Amino acid sequence: MSTYTQHPLSPISLPFSPSPSLPSHQQPTKPPISSSSPKPISISHSQASWIESLRSKSRSNLFREAISTYIEMIGSGVSPDNFAFPAVLKAVAGIQELYLGKQIHAHVFKFGYGSFSSVTIDNTLVNMYSKCGGLGDVYKVFDRITERDQVSWNSIISALCRFEEWEVAIKAFRLMLMEGFEPSSFTLVSMALACSNLRKRDGLWLGKQIHGCCFRKGHWKTFSNNALMAMYAKLGRLDDAKSLLVMFEDRDLVTWNSMISSFSQNERFMEALMFLRLMVLEGVKPDGVTFASVLPACSHLDLLRTGKEIHAYALRTDDVIENSFVGSALVDMYCNCGQVESGRLVFDGVLDRKIGLWNAMITGYAQSEHDEKALMLFIEMEAAAGLYSNATTMSSIVPAYVRCEGISRKEGIHGYVIKRGLETNRYVQNALIDMYSRMGDIKTSKRIFDSMEDRDIVSWNTIITSYVICGRSSDALLLLHEMQRIEEKSTYDGDYNDEKQVPFKPNSITLMTVLPGCASLSALAKGKEIHAYAIRNSLASQVTVGSALVDMYAKCGCLNLARRVFDQMPIRNVITWNVIIMAYGMHGKGKESLELFEDMVAEGAKGGEVKPTEVTFIALFAACSHSGMVDEGLSLFHKMKNEHGIEPAPDHYACIVDLVSRAGKVEEAYGLVNTMPSGFDKVGAWSSLLGACRIHHNIEIGEIAAENLLQLQPDVASHYVLLSNIYSSAGLWDKAMNLRRRMKAMGVKKEPGCSWIEYGDEVHKFLAGDLSHPQSEKLHDFLETLSERLKKEGYVPDTACVLHDIDEEEKETILCGHSEKLAIAFGILNTPPGTTIRVAKNLRVCNDCHTASKFISKIEDREIILRDARRFHHFKDGTCSCGDYW
């Protein structure tokens, strides 16, 4: 053996290699190699053993050891041959060391294998340059191959795919066929990959041909089937991928991982979990990729128990649990299931923390609104761990930053984003859109959205959410239409030519974002259309979409449909239960709300994960209030801590004050406000008390409540309006006028009464006294005529609802112009007889409109469903579902 040794990890310089720092005329010389064809030589035992050792280490993927063997072999004076070069070039490709690869390439020429091409060596050179160098180097080597074989074409096609030159790879495949070479399984695997990265319709058109070629040529190896499965899944044909998996028997770990990952990425979470079970039953042991792929399914389905089982299974394998990707998925799962502290325990238990793990924990804190912890961890990551924020970090920290009350200038984080050079990153732009909308600056949100060069589904979901947050639900629905705008796309000739392509397909997040917009506008037809879409795309069974559908139907006045969706949901979480309890309460069905609460508690007692929350009791107290169930509500209030471990919060006190005072016990409610723990925010309680004082004409306590509210919230118009209404109802016009003057001096403006009704594809909006609608004149004329008909049936206009000191006739004219009456009139004039009329209003319905609606329902033989700011009123045959208790 030669004394020449070098550590395999150190930079390698080969004997006889040209020194890159010297010009060619100063390079060390070596006896020239004959330009004639190399003569057959007798391979010595020593040379054979060197080469066999080299090839053995290369085959075993011991790449650095193989390179060290090659160096020692050269140092011993043994020449490499056409068996040694492919082995050492494979090793160089394995460690991706371009400089070393170029030295080996020089040896190919120096030892006489360059002038007369060896196709095996050239093929390995193509492979080496594709993994270590640039595409230009690959082309140079490939172009000089005079006698190309199947492997040559496989190598160039694989290289083109590695450089993501998908269309060029397909062109190379066609040239290969034209030169008469049969594709192998390896060729078809590369082609499946290329097809999966084309535009969907083009990829399917070509991908099916590749599949057909596999079928004709009998290429049914496991790895080729895996490639076809991955292709179909990426092109959105999951059922085809699933069928392919079922058809062949030689399924390996990659097969199952590909399918499970595809299901998770396409939001078919139940199937992802089902296939994990089938995989284990078949005896295939999950690895880190499996766990990282399936845990998001537990997150989205809120299946904490299943997630814990997977965590326990992963703990059996040390190398899996220490995997940073698995750790990130576990942190994400625990945080999304509300177990943030468990997520932190996982985070602390991983020693090798990659940026993805930090991001998962920061995101978990931010999503749970533990904003200070998110910011502190963010600082620790940059200052202590020495990691730089990436786009994922910033898209998570921006929401936490904007919610922190201690930070006055929220726009500062935008400056930090620019400093990091991330202002054009799509994910960060999405976060900034959300940030500005939560600051009420929808114009800046839209400006960022319009400036984006590369929008994704999240961008559209974010801007739609922004408009819903800012109370512009109609604009949110318009954006939903724009998002799905169909464009004509011409593709290859044949069955796929001139097919319509949808640029962005709404997902579960889109639906749960836009359904509240339908609910706020009582846009039932649009809500049903979205429900149908959810069913067609297997999204309706998801707990988030199902909960949003229950809420939408309930707020559109269809309690029976809300209950049907609730009953059909395979999985319900606490939000689902809270929504249905609140739904029955809004419709005045307090007894049913309490029964649902008992069912919820019973399900939790059986080992379920659903347990009542603070929101559950707010919904229950509201239900009791709307139904006049004072004793039942007070009983729950006294039990919530002892039996359910929930401390009463300010919102609970506000609900109880409303429950008691609405029932006429104003003094008792006033006493309850005064017994609230010190330090509690009493705005909600005083507001409930003031509203009850208006109903029961209690001026004394009303003044006390209003005085406290105006000290706490001097800029809120409703406080002034309610007290002014109390004065006006009592005929105290001077006090009412003084209060309105004070309001004007403070620059406080009353929110105008506004009602909505859906007709066709539009939601029509009416303001009190509105003359802007195209049918305004027709509607006012109809209401004047209708008012005379109502009077004949016994209706007497309640002019006390007009809080101005004017004559009675003017008051009656004003009453005819109330927004809910205009909306009802529009419904009567524009829909067939007998059609249910659904109207939503932003304020509480006045006494006169409530009475008039009862008469209208009888005279016009219509059911009128009116949702005001507090509850639902179902008018039918001259009566209201509220029993005049509201």
Side-chain angles (χ1 to χ4, degrees), residues 231-282:
M231 177 195 75
Y232 280 121
K234 192 168 182 181
L235 292 171
R237 299 292 286 264
L238 256 69
D239 290 328
D240 289 341
K242 183 178 173 181
S243 298
L244 198 55
L245 180 143
V246 173
M247 284 172 59
F248 73 94
E249 295 181 355
D250 295 328
R251 298 181 281 260
D252 61 7
L253 180 62
V254 175
T255 312
W256 290 101
N257 282 350
S258 298
M259 200 70 248
I260 291 169
S261 175
S262 299
F263 279 133
S264 282
Q265 289 171 8
N266 287 274
E267 299 187 3
R268 291 170 62 168
F269 301 118
M270 289 300 294
E271 287 170 285
L273 290 168
M274 182 182 73
F275 269 67
L276 173 66
R277 181 174 179 274
L278 293 173
M279 171 186 181
V280 174
L281 289 174
E282 195 164 290

Side-chain angles (χ1 to χ4, degrees), residues 110-131:
K110 284 187 172 291
F111 286 98
Y113 294 94
S115 300
F116 294 91
S117 175
S118 164
V119 69
T120 305
I121 296 174
D122 286 336
N123 291 343
T124 51
L125 281 167
V126 170
N127 178 62
M128 184 274 291
Y129 278 116
S130 75
K131 291 181 179 178

Side-chain angles (χ1 to χ4, degrees), residues 135-444:
L135 194 54
D137 295 324
V138 173
Y139 282 143
K140 286 178 184 177
V141 175
F142 182 76
D143 288 343
R144 67 175 294 279
I145 303 176
T146 55
E147 298 292 333
R148 296 172 185 149
D149 60 8
Q150 185 190 67
V151 178
S152 308
W153 285 104
N154 285 349
S155 299
I156 188 66
I157 291 170
S158 176
L160 289 165
C161 288
R162 185 171 287 109
F163 286 100
E164 299 185 3
E165 295 286 346
W166 312 116
E167 293 180 0
V168 183
I170 290 168
K171 184 178 179 181
F173 175 65
R174 287 174 174 154
L175 290 172
M176 174 185 179
L177 297 178
M178 289 171 61
E179 290 198 8
F181 290 99
E182 284 289 322
S184 67
S185 297
F186 297 103
T187 325
L188 298 174
V189 165
S190 294
M191 282 297 92
L193 176 62
C195 291
S196 70
N197 284 281
L198 297 177
R199 195 170 54 187
K200 182 177 178 179
R201 307 235 174 244
D202 300 348
L204 282 173
W205 188 73
L206 289 169
K208 288 185 176 181
Q209 295 181 56
I210 297 299
H211 191 174
C213 185
C214 286
F215 188 80
R216 290 194 307 274
K217 303 294 182 183
H219 294 301
W220 290 114
K221 295 183 174 66
T222 299
F223 64 85
S224 58
N225 285 325
N226 290 343
L228 288 169
M229 276 176 48
M231 177 195 75
Y232 280 121
K234 192 168 182 181
L235 292 171
R237 299 292 286 264
L238 256 69
D239 290 328
D240 289 341
K242 183 178 173 181
S243 298
L244 198 55
L245 180 143
V246 173
M247 284 172 59
F248 73 94
E249 295 181 355
D250 295 328
R251 298 181 281 260
D252 61 7
L253 180 62
V254 175
T255 312
W256 290 101
N257 282 350
S258 298
M259 200 70 248
I260 291 169
S261 175
S262 299
F263 279 133
S264 282
Q265 289 171 8
N266 287 274
E267 299 187 3
R268 291 170 62 168
F269 301 118
M270 289 300 294
E271 287 170 285
L273 290 168
M274 182 182 73
F275 269 67
L276 173 66
R277 181 174 179 274
L278 293 173
M279 171 186 181
V280 174
L281 289 174
E282 195 164 290
V284 179
K285 187 178 179 181
D287 66 353
V289 175
T290 320
F291 296 128
S293 299
V294 81
L295 282 166
C298 301
S299 297
H300 284 83
L301 296 174
D302 204 16
L303 295 175
L304 177 61
R305 178 174 293 179
T306 305
K308 285 182 175 180
E309 290 175 0
I310 293 171
H311 188 180
Y313 192 97
L315 283 169
R316 302 176 191 174
T317 312
D318 291 338
D319 58 336
V320 170
I321 200 59
E322 291 173 4
N323 184 315
S324 185
F325 296 105
V326 177
S328 301
L330 284 167
V331 168
D332 181 70
M333 184 275 295
Y334 279 115
C335 291
N336 281 340
C337 291
Q339 302 288 318
V340 182
E341 294 308 315
S342 297
R344 184 57 194 255
L345 289 173
V346 174
F347 175 83
D348 291 337
V350 179
L351 299 178
D352 183 19
R353 296 174 192 158
K354 302 287 194 301
I355 184 71
L357 185 62
W358 286 92
N359 286 344
M361 195 66 245
I362 290 170
T363 302
Y365 277 139
Q367 288 178 345
S368 301
E369 299 191 7
H370 296 175
D371 300 321
E372 290 187 7
K373 291 182 178 180
L375 289 168
M376 291 302 295
L377 195 64
F378 167 68
I379 293 168
E380 182 185 342
M381 183 190 83
E382 291 212 334
L387 296 172
Y388 286 108
S389 307
N390 60 16
T392 305
T393 321
M394 295 312 303
S395 62
S396 299
I397 208 65
V398 165
Y401 188 91
V402 77
R403 284 192 301 264
C404 272
E405 295 179 0
I407 300 171
S408 55
R409 292 188 59 81
K410 312 294 186 183
E411 301 90 339
I413 193 69
H414 195 167
Y416 188 80
V417 165
I418 294 171
K419 182 180 177 181
R420 285 292 186 205
L422 297 169
E423 70 276 11
T424 58
N425 180 273
R426 183 174 70 235
Y427 303 109
V428 179
Q429 287 175 317
N430 292 340
L432 290 170
I433 291 169
D434 178 72
M435 179 189 82
Y436 281 108
S437 71
R438 294 184 187 280
M439 293 165 58
D441 189 357
I442 191 66
K443 288 184 179 178
T444 302

Side-chain angles (χ1 to χ4, degrees), residues 757-766 773-780 782 821-839 860 862:
I757 183 170
E758 184 185 33
Y759 175 65
D761 290 331
E762 293 185 57
V763 174
H764 293 258
K765 179 180 178 181
F766 297 92
H773 193 275
Q775 297 184 28
S776 287
E777 185 178 350
K778 185 178 178 182
L779 295 175
H780 283 281
F782 174 76
K821 284 181 181 169
L822 290 170
I824 291 170
F826 177 87
I828 292 171
L829 292 175
N830 290 279
T831 59
T835 305
T836 299
I837 296 172
R838 301 174 191 277
V839 175
E860 294 290 336
R862 299 277 194 128

